[in-house]
Amino acid sequence: SRLPTRDIASTGLVNALRRCGFTTDSVVSTTHEAISPAETSWSDFVKAHHGLERSFRRGWQKAVQLGSVTLDTIETDGASAEEEYERYLALYPVSWRGGTGTRVLEYRRRLIQEMERRGRVRIYFLRISGRAVSAIIWFRLAQVALASWTVYDLRFSCLSPGTLVLWAAHEELYKEG
């Protein structure tokens, strides 16, 4: 992934990645490849990503036919980061990501712990009738939110649950400003 050099939070993320054992290259110097400008309105974002928005709407229409659809937003605080990461990992056995090795999951755990100490981790769970069908982890760096590591239950793949949780999280973040 590329990070913007003009964002003051990029250096902090790179340092956290390195402390967790990741190897990183230089930070890229353009911002437009990594983030949507904060000045962009939600309606402008939707227009710019109309294909993704259409996929979201189709999946959402199918999902609501199965039951109540909700987005749980978990902002970690202290011990909750570990607990919520375990809930996130509970989707792995039924996910397309089921083959991810223990080492990768441990790196992620350490990165989440490192970022959580800064109060910048969110985990979103998309639920249908109370059952978690997809989840995504976000890191908030100053005014930039970076999505990472979507996981979803393969039994719901016809709904595009990864797209559903990604889009719903985007919408929530835009509403916050």
Side-chain angles (χ1 to χ4, degrees), residues 55-148:
S55 178
F56 169 78
R57 295 285 169 228
R58 281 193 302 268
W60 193 269
Q61 288 171 354
K62 291 177 187 176
V64 295
Q65 292 174 10
L66 299 175
S68 169
V69 182
T70 58
L71 180 72
D72 289 345
T73 305
I74 311 298
E75 292 204 47
T76 62
D77 58 351
S80 72
E82 184 67 26
E83 181 182 320
E84 296 306 329
Y85 186 58
E86 291 301 322
R87 287 181 50 212
Y88 167 87
L89 289 178
L91 281 168
Y92 267 69
V94 294
S95 171
W96 60 278
R97 287 195 179 264
T100 301
T102 305
R103 185 174 172 197
V104 171
L105 297 178
E106 226 16 72
Y107 280 140
R108 291 176 182 175
R109 182 184 312 278
R110 289 190 356 237
L111 179 60
I112 287 168
Q113 289 167 346
E114 182 70 31
M115 294 303 291
E116 191 278 327
R117 281 195 283 276
R118 292 165 173 75
R120 297 180 174 129
V121 178
R122 281 192 185 173
I123 303 176
Y124 293 91
F125 290 92
L126 184 84
R127 298 182 179 282
I128 299 177
S129 296
R131 177 187 186 151
V133 298
S134 61
I136 190 169
I137 297 173
W138 286 72
F139 298 108
R140 185 117 188 171
L141 303 166
Q143 293 302 312
V144 177
L146 302 168
S148 204

Side-chain angles (χ1 to χ4, degrees), residues 163-174:
T163 300
L164 293 179
V165 72
L166 176 67
W167 190 266
H170 264 98
E171 187 171 10
E172 185 172 297
L173 288 165
Y174 263 87

